[in-house]
Amino acid sequence: MNLESPTKVVDKSAEEVYQFLMNVENFETLMPENTKFEKINDTRFLFALKGMPEIVLDLKEGVPHSKVVLGAASDKLPFTLTGNITQIEDTKSEVQLHFEGDFNPMMSMMIKGPITKFIETLATNMDRIGQ
């Protein structure tokens, strides 16, 4: 399953967006309302969307100022969430989130809606970077 968020223009440099996303604690700022969030350590956090099981994400990779990759810590729900960052101007950049998961058809059908809404909310909330 591959899903993409809309591209979001942010009034921050690519470096600022990258630094923000590399700090897992900052994901709490981007989460939808009423989402459980718990930082486990500097590279891992837990979150739970309403009606979904708790998911632990690990910071897997960072390519300075262009890409941040998070991945599920459990093999039960194998997926990655990648933030692609593109510099537009000195103080403007674009961010797009890509969700890629390997699920059976039944699981895909059940989670497609909530995950699509989730990544769209994360992208929309990118305006909160640096606030």
Side-chain angles (χ1 to χ4, degrees), residues 55-58 60 70-75 77-81:
I55 297 171
V56 176
L57 283 179
D58 282 324
K60 299 283 189 188
L70 299 168
S74 167
D75 290 339
L77 286 173
F79 72 89
T80 58
L81 180 63

Side-chain angles (χ1 to χ4, degrees), residues 51-114:
M52 299 273 288
E54 291 182 349
I55 297 171
V56 176
L57 283 179
D58 282 324
L59 184 61
K60 299 283 189 188
E61 179 186 4
V63 178
H65 314 167
S66 64
K67 182 165 80 170
V68 175
V69 181
L70 299 168
S74 167
D75 290 339
K76 286 190 250 177
L77 286 173
F79 72 89
T80 58
L81 180 63
T82 303
N84 290 308
I85 308 159
T86 306
Q87 184 88 23
I88 301 172
E89 299 172 10
D90 287 349
T91 59
K92 259 193 199 333
S93 52
E94 285 181 342
V95 183
Q96 185 175 37
L97 302 175
H98 296 269
F99 175 92
E100 188 175 327
D102 186 18
F103 309 111
N104 66 47
M106 183 63 138
M107 179 68 81
S108 293
M109 196 171 74
M110 289 171 38
I111 67 171
K112 184 176 183 178

